[in-house]
Amino acid sequence: MTNYYQPEIETMPREELEKLQSERLVAQVKHVYENVKMYHDRMVEAGITPEDIHGIEDLHKLPFVTKDDLRDQYPYGMCAVPLTDCVRIQSTSGTTGRRVVAFYTQEDLDIWDECCARAIVGVGGTKDDVVHVSYGYGLFTGGPGLNGGSHRLGSLTLPMSSGNTERQIQFMTDLGSTILCCTPSYAHFLGEEIKARGLKDQLKLKAGIFGAEPWTEEMRHNIEELLGIKAYDIYGLTEIAGPGVSCECQAQAGMHIQEDHFIPEIIDPDTGEVLPDGQVGELVFSSITKKAFPLLRYRTRDLCYLTHEKCSCGRTTVRMHKPMGRSDDMIIVKGVNVFPSQIETVLLKLGYLANYMIYVDRIGTKDTIEVHVELTPEMAQDEYPDIPKREKRIVSELKSMLGIQVDVKVVPPQTIQRSEGKAIRVMDKRNLYR
Ligand code: DLL
């Protein structure tokens, strides 16, 4: 078996890293050309053969792959090895349309474990930690990914899966969990529950590895306060591997991409042009070591930017900034682009918790947008919570953030449904009329 346990790659001089990427890319292009009909046909259409790809400088010559392509190829069309060489299937969490299924050989799983192990090490984890995994297990990659990383590192792993908050808190306190892995919305919910029960002092938690959904700096601050930990962002997607494609280090200044396995690009979503560091665009990944489900130039629809500046932690790998949302998460209301994360930023700044729901509708030809936000338990205990004044203030702050009129309804604590996995923040009723 190839030894992919090479954490020293994270601090390799760039020249060496790019040489390694080039070698792996050349081999991967040959692999997909020979084994995936769709790639073969697309390359023929584009008038290129594997011989035209000499290294990463030729990456831009390859055609993009989209989620629709993967849906068209469902279930086995993109599998590049005999099925008998695959040992695992995982699937995206989409609720509409055909799900994407991804295949893994044992070697693919080893690489993924390694990436998640590096993520845990990056946040200060060691084999002496107790890693509490509250991401869902099953087809979703969250649980299996962090579980594999924790094993790889030799840490004590608690495969909690999501849900059953009572038991989560009991095990966390009784078994002394030190690193919590779950979605940021669930971490926030756990933090609220722990606070309500006065159990914060009994926790041994030091860090959290939170991802699978967009979350803001304000939300990070709230979770850190509620749980008394450092909260780190982790990113990934089923099509490319799962969690661990990138993760923050202790500098909390962007997520280091595991570039020896995944080459990132940022493109203009409309023209496909590759954009320079610092410019926001659509994130595109090429997986250069995966054998069963190797995607080249896969358009993630996530919007963010990259930086190659050296990080204070010493890693030389490129960092991606927190995705502000997916291009398809963005809602266009009254002609204006709105991301739920912008609304969250305003609410958290005003002292609310991240318990909110955005309702979008259309009356006649006019769009409407209403945000429901919960009072915190402290606000609700206030003798005069003065709801109309609060609503007016939020309306005014949202107006200056988004430039449009948003209706706001402040509701009592615990009236908005909590999520144990990825949070659902938007109900766009206009979709029902399509
Ligand atoms: O969400 C993998 C994952 C599990 C990542 C646990 C991190 C932790 P999917 O279900 O395929 O896989 O969803 C992938 O989720 O394209 C992004 O839109 C979003 N996403 C993932 N991580 C982040 C993050 C997993 N840190 C999709 N910030 C991606 C913002 C994220 N969005």
Side-chain angles (χ1 to χ4, degrees):
M1 187 184 94
T2 316
N3 178 18
Y4 284 108
Y5 191 70
Q6 299 169 316
E8 67 279 6
I9 278 177
E10 292 183 273
T11 52
M12 213 180 207
R14 284 226 52 97
E15 257 170 51
E16 269 178 56
L17 178 61
E18 289 178 5
K19 190 165 163 272
L20 179 72
Q21 286 181 318
S22 286
E23 285 164 15
R24 289 181 173 178
L25 175 66
V26 168
Q28 189 72 311
V29 170
K30 194 164 176 287
H31 176 54
V32 300
Y33 184 80
E34 287 171 0
N35 295 299
V36 180
K37 185 173 179 317
M38 189 196 82
Y39 274 115
H40 183 278
D41 295 351
R42 290 269 172 92
M43 285 174 67
V44 170
E45 247 170 64
I48 45 171
T49 67
E51 284 67 48
D52 295 312
I53 307 298
H54 304 283
I56 52 172
E57 66 283 5
D58 294 324
L59 186 59
H60 69 277
K61 294 182 183 165
L62 295 167
F64 291 116
V65 174
T66 65
K67 194 159 198 148
D68 285 342
D69 292 328
L70 303 188
R71 288 195 172 125
D72 290 345
Q73 297 298 320
Y74 175 89
Y76 297 124
M78 298 301 286
C79 192
V81 296
L83 262 192
T84 46
D85 288 355
C86 297
V87 296
R88 175 87 67 79
I89 288 178
Q90 302 282 166
S91 167
T92 54
S93 41
T95 47
T96 53
R98 279 178 178 173
R99 281 172 170 237
V100 170
V101 288
F103 302 86
Y104 303 75
T105 62
Q106 184 56 53
E107 195 174 313
D108 294 337
L109 289 181
D110 293 341
I111 292 172
W112 184 23
D113 287 352
E114 157 72 6
C115 290
C116 287
R118 287 187 202 169
I120 299 171
V121 170
V123 308
T126 68
K127 67 176 262 319
D128 300 330
D129 276 296
V130 181
V131 180
H132 187 113
V133 185
S134 306
Y135 286 113
Y137 280 65
L139 287 170
F140 178 54
T141 53
L146 268 307
N147 195 94
S150 175
H151 273 207
R152 179 72 167 202
L153 194 58
S155 314
L156 180 57
T157 313
L158 272 172
M160 297 299 300
S161 197
S162 55
N164 201 338
T165 302
E166 201 65 41
R167 195 177 55 199
Q168 300 275 358
I169 297 176
Q170 190 200 335
F171 272 33
M172 208 177 275
T173 48
D174 290 355
L175 302 176
S177 308
T178 55
I179 298 181
L180 172 63
C181 308
C182 61
T183 57
S185 47
Y186 193 50
H188 190 270
F189 175 51
L190 282 171
E192 280 181 307
E193 288 294 311
I194 285 164
K195 183 176 174 189
R197 296 168 199 210
L199 292 174
K200 187 175 166 187
D201 288 351
Q202 292 185 34
L203 297 179
K204 292 223 171 67
L205 283 180
K206 61 178 190 189
I209 303 182
F210 306 131
E213 62 187 14
W215 52 308
T216 57
E217 282 305 321
E218 291 76 14
M219 176 88 148
R220 187 206 302 266
H221 179 74
N222 274 11
I223 296 173
E224 289 189 336
E225 284 275 307
L226 281 167
L227 290 170
I229 59 170
K230 284 272 177 207
Y232 299 96
D233 202 357
I234 184 167
Y235 170 89
L237 62 167
T238 315
E239 297 92 316
I240 297 301
V245 170
S246 66
C247 187
E248 280 184 330
C249 64
Q250 286 176 288
Q252 293 180 313
M255 292 180 271
H256 288 276
I257 295 174
Q258 303 297 349
E259 277 187 281
D260 48 328
H261 301 296
F262 318 109
I263 304 180
E265 294 169 279
I266 295 287
I267 60 160
D268 179 319
D270 297 323
T271 64
E273 181 202 350
V274 178
L275 300 176
D277 266 20
Q279 228 166 297
V280 175
E282 181 177 347
L283 183 60
V284 170
F285 275 111
S286 297
S287 61
I288 48 174
T289 48
K290 215 169 155 192
K291 287 288 176 287
F293 200 72
L295 298 187
L296 294 177
R297 301 203 90 199
Y298 179 65
R299 293 184 61 155
T300 65
R301 298 195 264 196
D302 293 320
L303 301 173
C304 70
Y305 63 86
L306 301 178
T307 176
H308 283 83
E309 266 170 41
K310 199 164 175 192
C311 180
S312 59
C313 74
R315 286 178 181 78
T316 48
T317 44
V318 65
R319 281 169 288 157
M320 57 180 269
H321 192 261
K322 256 180 186 314
M324 60 187 299
R326 298 171 69 94
S327 47
D328 44 359
D329 269 354
M330 186 179 79
I331 30 179
I332 304 180
V333 190
K334 304 176 189 182
V336 170
N337 300 348
V338 176
F339 283 97
S341 57
Q342 293 173 296
I343 293 178
E344 182 174 302
T345 297
V346 167
L347 297 177
L348 294 179
K349 260 191 196 143
L350 292 176
Y352 297 87
L353 300 173
N355 300 321
Y356 63 94
M357 190 72 196
I358 305 164
Y359 296 90
V360 183
D361 206 346
R362 179 165 292 150
I363 298 176
T365 53
K366 267 195 170 170
D367 289 339
T368 60
I369 173 166
E370 182 167 282
V371 176
H372 290 193
V373 53
E374 277 183 10
L375 283 177
T376 64
E378 289 80 7
M379 290 169 177
Q381 272 165 17
D382 198 329
E383 217 177 319
Y384 299 107
D386 203 345
I387 306 287
K389 194 169 158 203
R390 288 182 174 278
E391 290 175 340
K392 234 171 132 184
R393 174 88 201 278
I394 302 172
V395 169
S396 138
E397 294 286 330
L398 287 176
K399 176 103 200 240
S400 56
M401 164 71 95
L402 305 170
I404 53 169
Q405 177 74 23
V406 173
D407 296 327
V408 171
K409 196 167 169 190
V410 170
V411 297
Q414 303 293 334
T415 49
I416 293 176
Q417 200 180 349
R418 305 299 196 263
S419 98
E420 292 163 352
K422 294 187 190 235
I424 296 168
R425 305 283 195 202
V426 183
M427 167 92 75
D428 193 341
K429 292 192 192 153
R430 295 172 305 180
N431 297 335
L432 302 175
Y433 316 136
R434 275 191 196 143

